[in-house]
């Protein structure tokens, strides 16, 4: 059967038995949720290859996140994928793909600058930023809510956290997209080339920024870069490589997921007009709306772990050294955890989604992302309650990160 025909088949029993992330069906990019549902019913611990499984049930994903026999270290997975390259150095040095003790040291430093008091201080600046972006697009005939709005918010927030001069922030988004695109199951050679170039350019820029910050330190209570440079009082400091790559991590993690949260969330609200109108009428639902939009269209759809010891998941014995792909988007639509999971309900409670992960690897910037989302959605529905799609959105074809490249709208 030709490849394009094979990719058009529906998620029936035979198709799901052949399901592989390295060659996903064409329909999977636009709507992975029917595939997730069939996997949960038919093959919840689904073998992708001899040493790889895909988990689609909520309880199994939670177990894999929390079990001490699963590791985030990606050396074994990324070495054959990236070779000896800047991408390999970056993705095996950053916070998200490491275990203690490096993970513990870096996370503690970052979380110290992202405490509730610091986040509260961000709120007024965020409101001004978002209102200013909406002012800029208010009278435009053609608006792309990704490039003109969603992607610009986290760049400014993370730029502020690292105190990057505003006139030096333009390359940040491009670098982030290039580096994260290499995390797809089978990246194209050109994607790897662009990703490696982005790592080199970003680290070259950061060396200059770090050198200046060493000579002119900021306030470590709010300047994350100064905090990372200085380390903990009396504690071990980060090496130069650890410092540079974890600054890149901060940008990548905060930019990609927040852009997708806002883009996906707006698309979902427009597509479920009753929920958009409900949020406009009940602003107090802002916090629960963000949680539901994170669950309904999770910005990060897939995560990974490596087993360090044999373990049981469901009724399946998983050997040591097995790669686990955690279906975050699948877990967040599991009917055993969420009533009517395919229904958008901005007042849903309880809502124990796994969009931010679980355990000691739970997203360190989750409360910043929540604040960005709450202010963005509240301002949008208040100022433009008639916002609607204009033409066809352009979906990002990646499957690990779910989002849009372009989201054209008419504001009123």
């Amino acid at each position: 059967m030709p490849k394009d025909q094979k990719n058009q088949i529906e998620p029936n029993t035979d198709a799901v038995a052949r399901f592989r992330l390295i060659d996903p069906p064409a329909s999977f990019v636009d709507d992975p949720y029917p595939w997730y549902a069939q996997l949960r019913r038919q093959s919840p611990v689904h073998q992708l290859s001899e040493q790889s499984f895909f988990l689609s049930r909520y309880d199994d994903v939670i177990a894999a996140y929390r079990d001490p026999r699963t590791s985030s270290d990606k050396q074994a997975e990324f070495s054959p994928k990236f070779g000896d390259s800047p991408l390999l150095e970056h993705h095996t040095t950053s916070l998200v793909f490491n275990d203690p003790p490096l993970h513990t040291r870096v996370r503690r430093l970052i979380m110290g600058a992202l405490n509730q008091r610091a986040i509260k201080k961000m709120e007024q600046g965020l409101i001004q930023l978002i209102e200013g972006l909406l002012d800029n697009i208010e009278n435009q005939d053609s608006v792309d809510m990704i490039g003109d709005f969603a992607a610009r918010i986290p760049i400014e927030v993370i730029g502020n956290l690292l105190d990057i001069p505003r006139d030096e922030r333009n390359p940040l988004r491009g670098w982030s997209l290039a580096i994260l695109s290499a995390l797809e199951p089978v990246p194209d050679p050109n994607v790897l080339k662009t990703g490696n170039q982005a790592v080199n350019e970003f680290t070259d820029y950061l060396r200059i920024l770090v050198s200046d910050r060493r000579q002119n330190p900021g306030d470590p209570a709010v300047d994350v870069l100064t905090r990372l440079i200085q380390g903990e009082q009396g504690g071990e400091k980060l090496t130069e490589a650890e410092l540079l790559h974890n600054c890149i991590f901060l940008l990548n993690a905060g930019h990609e997921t927040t852009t997708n949260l806002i883009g996906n969330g707006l698309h979902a609200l427009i597509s479920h007009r009753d929920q958009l109108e409900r949020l406009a009428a009940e602003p107090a639902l802002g916090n629960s709306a963000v949680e539901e939009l994170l669950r309904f269209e999770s910005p990060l759809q897939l995560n990974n772990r490596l087993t360090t010891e044999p373990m049981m998941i469901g009724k399946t014995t998983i050997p040591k050294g097995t790669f686990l792909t955690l279906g975050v988007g699948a877990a967040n639509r599991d009917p055993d955890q969420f009533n009517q999971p395919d229904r958008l309900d901005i007042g849903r409670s309880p809502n124990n989604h796994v969009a931010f992960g679980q355990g000691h690897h739970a997203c360190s910037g989750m409360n910043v992302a929540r604040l960005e989302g709450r202010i963005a959605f509240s301002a949008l529905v208040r100022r433009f309650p008639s916002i609607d799609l204009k033409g066809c959105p352009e979906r990002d074809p990646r499957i690990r990160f779910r989002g849009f490249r372009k989201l054209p709208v008419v504001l009123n």
Side-chain angles (χ1 to χ4, degrees):
M1 180 184 294
K3 182 178 179 180
D4 57 346
Q5 277 186 270
K6 179 187 72 173
N7 279 353
Q8 294 300 325
I9 58 180
E10 296 300 311
N12 55 36
T13 300
D14 291 340
V16 167
R18 298 191 301 270
F19 178 83
R20 300 292 183 268
L21 288 171
I22 61 172
D23 185 23
S27 61
F28 186 79
V29 170
D30 284 332
D31 188 6
Y33 303 109
W35 292 91
Y36 293 154
Q38 186 69 7
L39 280 162
R40 281 193 306 268
R41 290 190 292 265
Q42 176 183 330
S43 182
V45 184
H46 182 72
Q47 190 155 14
L48 296 170
S49 66
E50 186 177 351
Q51 289 184 298
S52 175
F53 288 84
F54 179 84
L55 309 182
S56 53
R57 289 186 300 212
Y58 180 91
D59 287 346
D60 294 340
V61 168
I62 289 284
Y65 268 130
R66 293 179 176 174
D67 198 300
R69 294 169 295 180
T70 63
S71 169
S72 292
D73 188 294
K74 295 296 189 289
Q75 192 73 44
E77 179 183 352
F78 287 169
S79 290
K81 183 176 183 175
F82 296 140
D84 184 10
S85 68
L87 278 169
L88 179 67
E89 181 183 26
H90 169 65
H91 285 307
T92 56
T93 307
S94 67
L95 171 69
V96 69
F97 294 138
N98 264 285
D99 295 324
L102 175 62
H103 175 271
T104 307
R105 288 163 48 216
V106 178
R107 184 181 176 87
R108 192 159 50 226
L109 290 170
I110 292 172
M111 292 300 291
L114 297 180
N115 56 50
Q116 287 299 325
R117 184 179 61 183
I119 291 172
K120 183 66 177 175
K121 289 176 69 174
M122 294 180 192
E123 185 162 356
Q124 191 55 45
L126 254 176
I127 291 171
Q128 293 174 356
L129 167 65
I130 287 168
E131 294 290 348
L133 290 173
L134 295 178
D135 288 343
N136 291 341
I137 63 176
E138 184 170 17
N139 297 314
Q140 291 184 16
D141 293 331
S142 178
V143 177
D144 169 25
M145 291 304 290
I146 303 301
D148 294 334
F149 185 69
R152 297 185 62 181
I153 297 169
I155 288 294
E156 293 303 313
V157 170
I158 298 157
N160 290 342
L161 286 173
L162 296 174
D163 198 16
I164 296 174
R166 278 190 165 76
D167 61 355
E168 297 177 8
R169 297 179 185 181
N170 284 341
L172 298 181
R173 186 184 180 213
W175 287 335
S176 176
L177 290 172
I179 293 167
L180 290 176
S181 293
L183 292 175
E184 287 296 283
V186 186
D188 182 270
N190 286 330
V191 170
L192 294 178
K193 179 180 178 181
T194 304
N196 281 314
Q197 181 179 347
V199 174
N200 284 334
E201 291 176 359
F202 204 166
T203 52
D204 286 346
Y205 170 75
L206 285 171
R207 285 190 185 95
I208 298 171
L209 189 71
V210 168
S211 176
D212 179 73
R213 198 65 49 83
R214 289 188 192 279
Q215 298 176 46
N216 303 286
D219 179 0
V222 293
D223 179 356
V224 176
L225 179 54
T226 294
R227 191 176 185 89
L228 290 173
I229 290 170
Q230 294 180 350
E232 294 180 287
Q233 190 70 30
E236 184 180 359
K237 293 186 179 182
L238 300 178
T239 67
E240 186 77 358
E242 290 169 349
L243 174 63
L244 297 175
H245 289 296
N246 280 288
C247 286
I248 295 176
F249 156 74
L250 276 173
L251 171 73
N252 291 349
H255 164 261
E256 182 78 1
T257 52
T258 305
T259 298
N260 289 350
L261 161 61
I262 296 171
N264 291 345
L266 177 58
H267 183 265
L269 289 170
I270 291 173
S271 303
H272 300 79
R273 180 65 58 176
D274 63 318
Q275 297 300 297
L276 189 153
E277 292 171 353
R278 184 182 178 190
L279 181 57
E282 301 179 62
L285 289 175
N287 287 328
S288 65
V290 170
E291 301 306 315
E292 176 66 348
L293 294 167
L294 283 162
R295 181 200 69 82
F296 190 75
E297 284 277 33
S298 304
L300 177 70
Q301 290 275 306
L302 308 174
N303 214 330
N304 300 93
R305 292 293 185 268
L306 176 70
T307 59
T308 58
E309 298 292 341
M311 58 187 294
M312 290 287 294
I313 297 181
K315 298 179 180 179
T316 304
T317 301
I318 307 294
K320 175 182 178 180
T322 298
F323 296 106
L324 301 177
T325 297
L326 282 55
V328 175
N332 282 338
R333 296 283 188 108
D334 188 340
D336 288 341
Q337 175 66 25
F338 303 99
N339 182 42
Q340 295 183 279
D342 295 323
R343 180 172 69 93
L344 183 69
D345 175 8
I346 64 168
R348 184 182 295 273
S349 180
N351 192 349
N352 299 313
H353 63 77
V354 291
F356 289 127
Q358 286 280 314
H360 65 270
H361 266 281
C363 174
S364 56
M366 67 174 77
N367 289 326
V368 178
R370 284 172 166 138
L371 179 66
E372 292 172 275
R374 174 174 61 80
I375 295 173
F377 294 128
S378 297
L380 273 167
V381 301
R382 173 176 50 81
R383 292 185 57 167
F384 307 115
S386 300
I387 189 171
D388 207 347
L389 297 178
K390 182 182 181 181
C392 187
E394 181 183 342
R395 184 167 289 285
D396 190 318
R398 293 176 298 168
I399 61 174
R400 178 177 296 273
F401 300 98
R402 182 162 176 79
F404 293 94
R405 285 180 171 171
K406 294 183 179 180
L407 188 61
V409 300
V410 56
L411 294 176
N412 46 45

